Amino acid sequence: GINAEYGDKLIGNYCLNWNKRSIMYIPPWRICNGIQDCANNEDESEDTCTVTDQSQPSCKHVRTGQTVPIHDYVQCPTMLAREFIYCDDFRLNFINCSYNSHWKGGECEIYGYRSEILKVMICDPDWQVCDDGIDDRCFNLDGSCKVHKHRLCDGVVDCKDGIDENDSKCSHMSKIYHCKRKMGIKDALPIPHQWINDGIEDCVDGSDEKETTCGQNSTERAVLLREDAKCQNAFICPLGGFIELSDLCDGRDKCGNEQKICTLSRNTKRHDTPFVELEQSLIRKMSYCVQGIENILTLKQDKCIVKQFAFPEHDIFGLTPIDFNIPEAKQDCDFIYGESYVYTSCVNKCKNSTCLLETPPSYHDCPGQIEHRIGTIVDNSFLTFVTPLKNKMFIINHFVCDDKTKCIDHSKVCDLVQDCNDGSDEKHCTNHFACSSSQGSTLSKTYIPKSKLCDGVFDCMDLSDECNENCPKEILQSLYLKVISIGIGGLAFLANLLIVLKNIFYIRKCRTSGSLVNKAMIILISAGDFMIGLYLLLIAYEDLIVYSSSYCKRQLDWLVSNMCATIGVLSTIGSQMSLFAMTVLSMVRLHGIQGSLRVPGPINIVKVLKVLSIVLAIILVSTIIALLPLASRFEDYFVNGIWYPDELKLFVGTTKKEAMQPVLEAYYGRMKKTTLSWKLSIEMLSDMFSNDKEYKDYSKPRANLHFFGNDGVCLFKYFVTQDDPQKAFVWAILIVNFVCFLFISFSYIVIGLISKSSSNSVAGAQNNELNRRNKRMNRRIAIIILTDFCCWVPFIVVCGFHYFEIFDATTWYSLFSMLILPINSVINPFLYDDFLTTLLSTLPRLYRLMFSPVMEATRRVWNMVKGYMLPSQQQSGELENVDNAETAL
């Protein structure tokens, strides 16, 4: 016989009929039915109808009830008609089946055999074949469209109104985890979170229900293998037990007070703008309308009025209206929360917010959650419920979540905390900012007040509250700071490099100790200013090339980086070395002018060693000042914060030590009023987690926010407050710098006075020359004092204002680091050495020397051209004279 070809609608056998004249079709039910149809009896032969191998699938024949083997050509019918059924157990006709995409509807296990099933068998109660019944798990959406659960949220519209793709489950899909669903022929797709670990295998490989063992000892547990369930350390509950990191800070307490800990660590809280409620009545006043405060509204030409609130646009029998006082004019509801937000928006008194209460709750909503509910009728059409108060008053003060699983009080609506599982209590509110990382997640979303947007403090885990189109951030915020950084940095870098090289070359020619000290100090001043120029160029490079517009999202990487610390150390060494060298130089020059009548002593090894020791001392002190804040021994004073991995979910951005203290106290209980060390704080926080060795430990800090990472320009932290542990060190340096400025100013004033006095004692032409020299020197002294004054005095004054909290100068770091402090680095090369001024004065002469031959050659060429043109002009003049003579004749 010839088996029917696979893919044909018919299965069974073809064979010669009993008279051997033609080929006939034998449907499956007529094979092994005890009646011979084929001429050679192959449809009823012993080989065909006897089970000889116990491993071969078998069944009872649909007609005879005899046990018969299941052959390939009697399986997998593509038409569900009785003539195509071979086994009396309908499901056995479909084991080990494989269909092309035209017929395939899904796949599942049938009696333990992985098999494909037909499209027409899905959602048909008469044809259930899968062992787990997955082929019959279907939904009747709005009574108009029946669809299998695996056809929900698959990107293909199966219902006319698209309701299968807009179901509530579709808003909470897995992001990383994808699998091939049992019903349907699409490749791997995301699945709704509700399907994960729900006891039903929805994926072909069953991975949505597979578990593995994580943890050890008290935290050993079975974890589902899905996108956010990789083995991690767990949070140890204070009263015993544990929770997964993925469930930490999701808005729901699972083991005690972890939400309080999360609230303290993230500095978040529930917001509400309560009414002032009069006793035993339903009269409520907004805080603006309390007696006394309402006078403020009068000054604003506004007044309070009484509005009644029942339920918007619905007639509810027996409902007692609530009287409440609110301002008459429409309010900006961006900064009111909870019950006040609900009532104000629902009486149309919000400028930009709409009412969230659309339909009264159904009587059967939220079963078992609200005691003493009393049924009443709405619009004479359906039942709702009210809750009784004293004095026979009845109100509706519950908001029903969109998924109908939970009812919450109006005070918990639009209060920045997600109470509904589907987030519907916060989703449509206008008084918050939803952090980007929360969008589309089934876990509790993070909402912050609009007042916290762009305030310089991170509140969202993904930093979206500070990194958005309304507040973009770069290392150097403005174009003029970028230009200044490159301009001043480039000039300081080149000018001071020239001075350093020139003085290193000429220092060997010094013949007196005074000139040696002078050259050495000028080298140090220029080297320090060279470092400042290099600092500015490096900041410009990081800003324009490395980070650019991506800085905001990556700023923590920059602030804790070694590069930021290196640049900060470089600028500190440069500024301090330059200032100390200027101080020593002014001291040397003051001493020199006072003893000007003495003959300078020659250079010897002792004097060289003295100068060298001064140079080394300046470099050493400057380096100590720069490196001391980075020493681990002093981390309790100089570390500005700790950056924990985002996976820990406790802290947003970096956390300060004083912010960790209440978190530890909430976990461990009351503690002594003392400031814990960083080491102890980190250890105590780590002990809040399981710390299983084989998993990545997210309770260990990612990095320290070092002393120079307080701002993107990585400057020495000059701006400190009264509660800052670094204040003593910073103010000590500021005072030292100010004393150096005063000494430099005093020294050069005395030098100027002595020079003027000495010039007055000299008469004649020599006196005139001295006067000219003194004028030049006095101008230079005035510039030195003025630039030092403009550099340090305003800066120290601003530091004082910031310290006493007169104003916050933190945002001024960029201006001071790019313009105010480095200005001396550009001017000093011209004040302390004549090389650049001499070089600039020779530029005009150099210009003339270079271009005079070119100009002379150009003049000669021009004269030659004129010479060629001149004869033609003379000839034309002579011809004109001849014509005039002929006319005269």
Side-chain angles (χ1 to χ4, degrees), residues 247-289:
D247 296 326
L248 185 62
C249 299
D250 64 353
R252 303 173 184 87
D253 276 322
K254 300 178 183 65
C255 69
N257 67 339
E258 77 270 18
Q259 291 314 308
K260 178 182 178 181
I261 293 172
C262 292
T263 299
L264 291 170
S265 65
R266 296 186 180 188
N267 193 27
T268 59
K269 61 181 180 178
R270 186 184 297 274
H271 285 66
D272 191 14
T273 312
F275 287 108
V276 177
E277 188 172 345
L278 303 184
E279 285 189 36
Q280 297 182 343
S281 71
L282 291 182
I283 300 176
R284 305 182 182 186
K285 289 187 177 184
M286 287 193 70
S287 55
Y288 309 122
C289 299

Side-chain angles (χ1 to χ4, degrees), residues 663-789:
V663 174
L664 298 175
E665 188 170 342
Y667 185 86
Y668 290 101
R670 295 183 61 184
M671 298 163 53
K672 291 182 179 180
K673 296 297 181 181
T674 182
T675 301
L676 301 177
S677 66
W678 272 122
K679 182 180 180 180
L680 183 57
S681 298
I682 292 170
E683 289 177 354
M684 292 177 69
L685 187 83
S686 179
D687 289 341
M688 294 165 56
F689 298 86
S690 59
N691 298 316
D692 298 321
K693 293 182 179 179
E694 63 266 30
Y695 311 136
K696 186 173 182 179
D697 191 357
Y698 295 117
S699 66
K700 300 300 182 185
R702 185 174 176 180
N704 292 347
L705 183 63
H706 51 71
F707 180 76
F708 298 99
N710 58 293
D711 189 82
V713 294
C714 303
L715 190 66
F716 187 96
K717 189 181 177 182
Y718 290 109
F719 298 150
V720 291
T721 55
Q722 297 182 48
D723 58 351
D724 199 316
Q726 302 149 6
K727 61 184 179 182
F729 176 74
V730 171
W731 274 106
I733 301 303
L734 287 173
I735 291 172
V736 168
N737 292 349
F738 185 67
V739 170
C740 288
F741 158 73
L742 292 178
F743 184 81
I744 293 171
S745 301
F746 169 78
S747 298
Y748 282 109
I749 290 172
V750 171
I751 290 172
L753 293 175
I754 293 176
S755 299
K756 183 177 181 180
S757 175
S758 62
S759 64
N760 290 336
S761 62
V762 180
Q766 188 178 1
N767 185 37
N768 293 333
E769 179 62 25
L770 283 175
N771 284 334
R772 285 194 296 271
R773 289 173 56 188
N774 285 335
K775 285 181 179 180
R776 288 196 300 269
M777 185 176 68
N778 288 335
R779 282 197 300 269
R780 184 172 294 185
I781 290 172
I783 295 174
I784 290 173
I785 296 173
L786 179 63
T787 54
D788 287 343
F789 177 88

Side-chain angles (χ1 to χ4, degrees), residues 94-201:
F94 295 91
I95 61 174
N96 289 327
C97 290
S98 180
Y99 297 101
N100 60 38
S101 59
H102 180 71
W103 303 105
K104 181 181 176 181
E107 56 183 287
C108 62
E109 286 191 356
I110 303 175
Y111 286 119
Y113 294 94
R114 176 64 62 184
S115 303
E116 295 180 356
I117 63 173
L118 297 171
K119 291 179 181 179
V120 294
M121 301 172 69
I122 298 175
C123 295
D124 189 334
D126 296 329
W127 309 101
Q128 295 181 10
V129 294
C130 296
D131 291 346
D132 56 3
I134 193 67
D135 53 319
D136 198 38
R137 293 189 178 274
C138 305
F139 298 96
N140 200 354
L141 302 178
D142 283 355
S144 60
C145 179
K146 190 173 185 180
V147 63
H148 192 274
K149 68 176 291 190
H150 292 172
R151 299 296 293 270
L152 296 173
C153 320
D154 64 348
V156 178
V157 175
D158 296 291
C159 301
K160 290 182 179 179
D161 56 0
I163 192 172
D164 59 308
E165 298 302 313
N166 295 317
D167 189 77
S168 61
K169 301 179 185 65
C170 302
S171 60
H172 309 297
M173 304 290 289
S174 60
K175 295 180 180 178
I176 302 172
Y177 174 72
H178 291 60
C179 74
K180 187 176 182 180
R181 304 177 185 183
K182 286 187 174 181
M183 298 299 110
I185 60 173
K186 279 199 167 188
D187 291 331
L189 294 171
I191 64 173
H193 279 127
Q194 290 185 12
W195 297 359
I196 298 176
N197 203 22
D198 62 350
I200 300 171
E201 288 189 0

Side-chain angles (χ1 to χ4, degrees), residues 42 74 94 146 160 199 270 317 438 459 503 505 516 543 547 578 661 826:
E42 65 181 279
V74 297
F94 295 91
K146 190 173 185 180
K160 290 182 179 179
R270 186 184 297 274
F317 180 76
S438 301
D459 298 288
N503 282 279
F505 178 77
L516 179 64
D543 175 56
Y547 289 92
S578 178
Q661 189 95 2
V826 176

Side-chain angles (χ1 to χ4, degrees), residues 564-582:
C564 178
T566 301
I567 290 177
V569 168
L570 183 70
S571 67
T572 304
I573 293 177
S575 62
Q576 294 301 136
M577 189 166 69
S578 178
L579 181 62
F580 292 156
M582 285 191 289

